Amino acid sequence: MSDRLEQLKEFLKDSPQDPFLKYALATEYLKLGNQDEALKGYTDLISNHADYVGTYYHLGKLYEKMNRVEDARDIYKKGMVITQQKCNMHALSELRGALSLLDGDDEDEY
């Protein structure tokens, strides 16, 4: 187990509802090849911190990696709604691009 993973777990003991720490932990699990724990972390973020926009892109990519194409498509679309509500045009653009690549569309159509 990585030192970073242990450090993030310790930080979460002090701040168990911190979405950044939850995101960092899920991302660290993914980096270490533990897709199941990464998936748990990202889905927790979607359920409990829906406005943490970075989650949608990474969860979508994880779904793609797991060959869960419909789940990826759905999460990208949900993320697009949230990013539009939050006026986060950069994240919106990334999600549109990911969805476009997934669907094999030309990104300029959006």
Side-chain angles (χ1 to χ4, degrees):
M1 198 171 306
S2 79
D3 290 339
R4 179 161 167 73
L5 187 65
E6 287 304 315
Q7 188 177 40
L8 289 167
K9 286 180 176 182
E10 284 300 314
F11 290 153
L12 271 168
K13 286 180 184 176
D14 293 331
S15 302
Q17 292 306 312
D18 184 320
F20 174 77
L21 292 174
K22 289 181 175 187
Y23 174 82
L25 183 64
T27 302
E28 186 67 16
Y29 274 123
L30 188 59
K31 184 175 136 185
L32 295 171
N34 190 335
Q35 291 182 347
D36 292 336
E37 287 300 317
L39 181 61
K40 285 180 194 174
Y42 289 141
T43 55
D44 171 72
L45 279 161
I46 296 297
S47 297
N48 296 303
H49 307 280
D51 61 344
Y52 199 81
V53 297
T55 308
Y56 293 90
Y57 179 86
H58 292 283
L59 178 56
K61 287 297 180 186
L62 178 56
Y63 280 145
E64 285 187 54
K65 193 180 221 181
M66 299 171 87
N67 294 315
R68 293 174 58 177
V69 176
E70 286 305 313
D71 289 329
R73 184 174 291 112
D74 289 345
I75 208 66
Y76 290 144
K77 288 179 179 179
K78 287 176 185 174
M80 289 167 62
V81 170
I82 298 294
T83 56
Q84 285 175 323
Q85 291 170 349
K86 294 184 68 66
C87 297
N88 187 330
M89 295 303 114
H90 178 73
L92 176 59
S93 176
E94 287 182 335
L95 290 167
R96 282 183 174 158
L99 181 60
S100 180
L101 285 173
L102 181 66
D103 289 339
D105 295 336
D106 183 346
E107 192 173 322
D108 293 334
E109 290 180 14
Y110 294 95

